[in-house]
Amino acid sequence: MTGYLGSYATLGLLLLVSVLFFVTAFSANRVLRPARPADPFGKRTSYECGLDPVGADWAQMQIRYYVYAYLYVLFAVEAVFLFPWAVVFDRPGFGLVTVVEMAVFVAVLALGILYAWRRNILRWT
């Protein structure tokens, strides 16, 4: 299959094979599935860790869990940026500008942790 339309013929053949595979899979599913599946008592009820569900389906979540997760991600990203910088810092071409850039980066993160500390976000109640 060469020429201008050869690549389209390959694409068409691939699409035909994929459609045939799709139809074959769904046909096999229809043929092999049970006609009347068993429906024992309690099969369609909610299941949670082996316990019967009790109470309402809505529960309030404390926002502090999300705040802690967000702060963890923030400082994990800081560590991800600090390690490569520390590895290549002593190479030629990294001078005072690089130190100032990293100092600004760490200062912004320090302001964030200071803000969280002053607002008592980090205190577990």
Side-chain angles (χ1 to χ4, degrees):
M1 294 189 192
T2 59
Y4 180 73
L5 295 177
S7 59
Y8 288 112
T10 304
L11 178 65
L13 183 64
L14 182 64
L15 286 174
L16 180 68
V17 168
S18 62
V19 167
L20 285 175
F21 180 76
F22 179 80
V23 169
T24 303
F26 273 89
S27 299
N29 183 25
R30 184 172 291 258
V31 169
L32 296 176
R33 74 177 182 195
R36 295 182 59 134
D39 198 10
F41 176 74
K43 181 175 182 176
R44 300 192 190 278
T45 60
S46 299
Y47 181 77
E48 178 95 20
C49 302
L51 302 174
D52 291 331
V54 178
D57 59 349
W58 184 83
Q60 187 174 1
M61 186 70 166
Q62 295 284 340
I63 191 65
R64 74 182 77 150
Y65 301 125
Y66 297 110
V67 171
Y68 275 99
Y70 180 72
L71 288 173
Y72 171 76
V73 168
L74 180 73
F75 290 105
V77 168
E78 176 190 9
V80 166
F81 283 125
L82 281 175
F83 285 129
W85 177 81
V87 168
V88 300
F89 173 68
D90 64 345
R91 294 186 182 163
F94 293 93
L96 185 61
V97 175
T98 308
V99 173
V100 171
E101 287 175 356
M102 190 52 67
V104 169
F105 176 71
V106 172
V108 168
L109 289 173
L111 284 173
I113 192 78
L114 180 67
Y115 175 78
W117 178 64
R118 297 281 290 163
R119 301 271 299 186
N120 288 329
I121 293 173
L122 300 177
R123 185 168 300 177
W124 191 263
T125 57

